[in-house]
Amino acid sequence: MFSSPLVKPDFASELCLMQRGAYHIAGVDEVGRGALAGPVMAAAVILDASNLPEGLNDSKRLGAQYRAVLCKDILVRALAISVCSFSPRSIDKSDIRKCSLEAMHRAVDGLAIRPCHVLIDGRDIPSGLSCGADALIKGDQRSISIAAASIVAKVLRDRMMARAGTVYPAYQLEKHAGYATIVHRKAIEERGPVNGLHRYSFAPIRGRFLDETDDFTGS
């Protein structure tokens, strides 16, 4: 059997909504949910139907250099873009799901143009949105608005983690963006986590290390 080619996202969902009168459609996605270090970041993007960037796809399917090129193109062409992140300490004091949803909510609220409808990657829709919304499983592979949001969030978060890597070179954050690679986990074992950078509520840190600058116990 031959494998089928990867399906690329398109603008069909947006066009369907626009035909029903919802002109400004925001795509929303988050990155960093499963990382051991760094923030969870959400982005909301309203694309211009008459000036769509080419080559958009799920950010995980794209190389870092191409993502950066596409991100710049999105910033130039999009009608509105907004991002929101929650720090590791905020995640530890709440939980990753709540922080991810709230980051998406705030990203939508931060758009300079109020969307008529929101398309969100995943299964969950943040509560309290000012307009209708649909959750699309694998939405970043189906909607280019969501794909655009995933690219913006991924590029910006990766840059934040690369910057953190210059401050904490032993963890090589610029290579894995805070995810649980062998190199990252080994550095944590040898040096311990960094207060304010690592998520003390996540295994394998949870219950073994204490963020001494906060009252979070990790229990």
Side-chain angles (χ1 to χ4, degrees):
M1 293 181 65
F2 296 97
S3 59
S4 59
L6 293 176
V7 176
K8 292 184 178 181
D10 56 34
F11 205 61
S13 297
E14 291 87 339
L15 287 175
C16 182
L17 288 164
M18 292 170 70
Q19 290 171 358
R20 288 154 46 188
Y23 187 71
H24 293 131
I25 312 300
V28 182
D29 201 1
E30 55 79 19
V31 297
R33 187 163 180 162
L36 298 180
V40 61
M41 176 172 285
V45 176
I46 298 177
L47 294 176
D48 183 350
S50 64
N51 190 23
L52 297 174
E54 297 182 1
L56 297 184
N57 207 334
D58 174 4
S59 63
K60 297 184 291 298
R61 293 179 170 179
L62 305 171
Q65 290 186 342
Y66 191 41
R67 276 199 304 267
V69 171
L70 288 174
C71 183
K72 185 176 181 179
D73 197 28
I74 294 165
L75 294 175
V76 170
R77 294 173 184 255
L79 296 175
I81 297 173
S82 174
V83 297
C84 177
S85 65
F86 273 74
S87 70
R89 286 206 176 104
S90 296
I91 294 168
D92 288 340
K93 289 180 177 180
S94 180
D95 66 58
I96 188 60
R97 180 178 178 276
K98 290 179 181 178
C99 287
S100 296
L101 290 172
E102 182 60 21
M104 290 190 285
H105 184 184
R106 294 189 187 187
V108 172
D109 280 353
L111 288 165
I113 297 174
R114 177 170 291 186
C116 303
H117 200 86
V118 176
L119 298 175
I120 300 171
D121 182 53
R123 299 177 180 274
D124 299 322
I125 296 176
S127 60
L129 292 177
S130 60
C131 62
D134 292 314
L136 302 181
I137 304 300
K138 296 184 178 180
D140 46 9
Q141 299 174 26
R142 299 167 59 185
S143 158
I144 63 170
S145 295
I146 296 177
S150 76
I151 291 169
V152 170
K154 174 68 173 169
V155 170
L156 295 184
R157 185 180 184 279
D158 282 358
R159 289 175 180 172
M160 291 175 65
M161 298 308 294
R163 184 68 177 269
T166 65
V167 181
Y168 305 103
Y171 298 89
Q172 300 185 47
L173 298 166
E174 68 282 358
K175 294 183 178 180
H176 51 69
Y179 285 88
T181 63
I182 294 175
V183 169
H184 190 194
R185 292 170 65 180
K186 182 178 179 182
I188 294 172
E189 289 295 325
E190 293 176 349
R191 297 173 178 269
V194 176
N195 295 332
L197 174 66
H198 285 95
R199 302 175 184 178
Y200 284 71
S201 58
F202 278 39
I205 300 172
R206 184 181 62 243
R208 299 179 57 216
F209 301 93
L210 176 64
D211 185 344
E212 298 177 354
T213 63
D214 205 353
D215 59 3
F216 174 75
T217 63
S219 58

